[in-house]
Amino acid sequence: MASHRHPDQASPGTGPTSRRGRPPRPWWRRAGRFIGFAVLAVLALVLVSAGLNAALTQYERTSADPYGRRVAVDGGSVNVVDHATEGPTVVLLSGLGTAAPALDFGPLVRQLEGYRVVVVEGFGYGYADLTAPDRTARNVSQELHSALEAAGVEAPYVLGGHSLAGFYLLDYVNRYPGEVAAVVGIDTTVPAFAAAQHDAPAADGGGIPWDRLAASSGLLRWVLLASPDLALPGTTAHTTQEREQIHRMTVWNFANPAVTDETRRIGDNARRLQDLGFPRDLPVLMLLAQDTVDESPDWLASHEEQLQGVDEHELAVLDGPHYLHWTRSPEMATRITAFLGAHGIAARDGTGIAAPVAAG
């Protein structure tokens, strides 16, 4: 006798079916489809953000008034900001990744009365090109030399620098002997110290440039829009205009190709320079930050060792952070003026007569 089943009743041995007679998709397939839609949505959002960021950057660059003078060197153009006042020339170089060096040094430049201060923004910095030849110490020094010649900055001059610029101060004075009258270091990095911190050579390229992706995707722009203080000096020593421009230029210049390559080459540059010293007869003033000394036990000792062979040197530790010129510019200027004056590089007053320099 034939059996009769309800149309919706499944045959023996079969699983549940959908209303259309198909078995439902497994949960992991449904989850995968959801994840796929989510990924596509995120990618679309990133593309929109990147496009908007590129458009805003282009608009900001074309509408802003650039400062300084771009000069041609091998590989492109760098930016030279010459505060053409009377007096001996002091050339300043920034630390690694400083978005707008000429603005960053603003508080110190204003305090160095009686000196002609020149800030050189090399490849990757300020209004210089953001792509560059290999960021070896040799290339950086040669570019600096060419830039100063092109800008009409005659030797001898005082060469000063912050942080990683310590590499280039050391290379430059040995590569161009006689062109530097004195050196001023602002919490500079000593090659021997850096070499010990970078055991293996950094890979030349490779890996995912996460920093650059954060900038090009627009993520950095939106983060700084919500928290602008992340890109700004934590003091009131900079003008409102300087702070606004530093904020914009951080978005433009962050993790650019030249700075990324410079970062990767820290270990290699350190090893190439670690056995090099300052010339014995060259006056050297080192101003260190107490915060860095406290954080890095070997920081002070590495500078003391670096200066052992220098006849005329001075080392002082000032209370403050690594960016000393943000907080201690008046005291720094007093010490720099006194040190240079003691070595025949006296500041000038408004009439062009050498001003008296206090000792100490």
Side-chain angles (χ1 to χ4, degrees):
M1 184 175 178
S3 61
H4 298 278
R5 294 188 181 91
H6 191 279
D8 292 336
Q9 185 178 355
S11 300
T14 64
T17 61
S18 67
R19 290 184 178 181
R20 296 181 180 178
R22 296 194 303 267
R25 291 187 180 88
W27 67 269
W28 58 84
R29 291 185 62 187
R30 296 195 300 272
R33 187 177 182 183
F34 173 79
I35 293 172
F37 281 129
V39 170
L40 289 175
V42 170
L43 288 176
L45 183 61
V46 169
L47 290 174
V48 171
S49 175
L52 182 58
N53 178 64
L56 287 172
T57 298
Q58 179 65 22
Y59 171 76
E60 291 167 351
R61 282 184 175 276
T62 55
S63 60
D65 292 327
Y67 55 76
R69 171 190 171 193
R70 282 168 55 86
V71 298
V73 299
D74 286 344
S77 295
V78 299
N79 195 46
V80 178
V81 183
D82 186 352
H83 300 271
T85 55
E86 289 194 12
T89 301
V90 176
V91 177
L92 294 178
L93 310 177
S94 74
L96 179 68
T98 301
L103 305 178
D104 185 79
F105 278 126
L108 180 58
V109 171
R110 286 188 284 274
Q111 293 292 329
L112 285 173
E113 297 179 358
Y115 290 97
R116 173 193 180 188
V117 182
V118 178
V119 181
V120 178
E121 298 181 332
F123 288 120
Y125 296 86
Y127 276 100
D129 291 347
L130 302 184
T131 57
D134 293 345
R135 297 295 76 206
T136 62
R138 176 181 179 178
N139 284 347
V140 173
S141 289
Q142 291 177 339
E143 292 155 7
L144 172 60
H145 190 258
S146 297
L148 293 176
E149 284 190 336
V153 179
E154 298 180 355
Y157 34 76
V158 177
L159 189 60
H162 173 240
S163 193
L164 191 63
F167 284 15
Y168 314 130
L169 303 181
L170 187 60
D171 184 86
Y172 194 92
V173 298
N174 284 278
R175 194 172 298 280
Y176 302 103
E179 298 200 12
V180 177
V183 165
V184 176
I186 305 170
D187 214 31
T188 49
T189 306
V190 176
F193 176 90
Q197 306 300 312
H198 296 78
D199 296 331
D204 184 13
I208 299 175
W210 294 111
D211 290 349
R212 189 59 195 155
L213 288 176
S216 59
S217 69
L219 177 60
L220 177 65
R221 178 182 293 275
W222 315 133
V223 169
L224 294 183
L225 185 63
S227 302
D229 288 347
L230 294 175
L232 298 176
T235 70
T236 58
H238 292 81
T239 67
T240 299
Q241 183 178 358
E242 285 171 341
R243 292 172 66 85
E244 291 175 351
Q245 200 159 359
I246 288 171
H247 183 278
R248 288 195 301 270
M249 296 182 74
T250 299
V251 175
W252 303 349
N253 294 346
F254 183 78
N256 62 71
V259 170
T260 297
D261 184 55
E262 185 180 14
T263 304
R264 288 180 175 141
R265 294 179 186 274
I266 289 176
D268 184 59
N269 280 330
R271 277 178 285 279
R272 291 177 183 273
L273 296 171
Q274 63 182 338
D275 296 325
L276 198 63
F278 288 111
R280 177 175 292 276
D281 58 350
L282 180 67
V284 179
L285 170 64
M286 286 291 174
L287 303 175
L288 304 186
Q290 185 67 59
D291 287 5
T292 313
V293 171
D294 293 341
E295 294 167 3
S296 303
D298 296 329
W299 191 254
L300 177 59
S302 68
H303 287 83
E304 291 174 335
E305 183 176 355
Q306 185 183 46
L307 294 174
Q308 281 182 354
V310 181
D311 290 338
E312 299 293 335
H313 73 265
E314 180 180 327
L315 188 154
V317 180
L318 307 182
D319 288 335
H322 181 52
Y323 280 77
L324 273 175
H325 47 283
W326 291 359
T327 59
R328 303 304 297 271
S329 283
E331 181 179 350
M332 289 172 63
T334 298
R335 288 182 176 271
I336 292 169
T337 300
F339 180 82
L340 296 180
H343 293 88
I345 314 171
R348 292 181 178 273
D349 63 16
T351 62
I353 306 300
V357 179

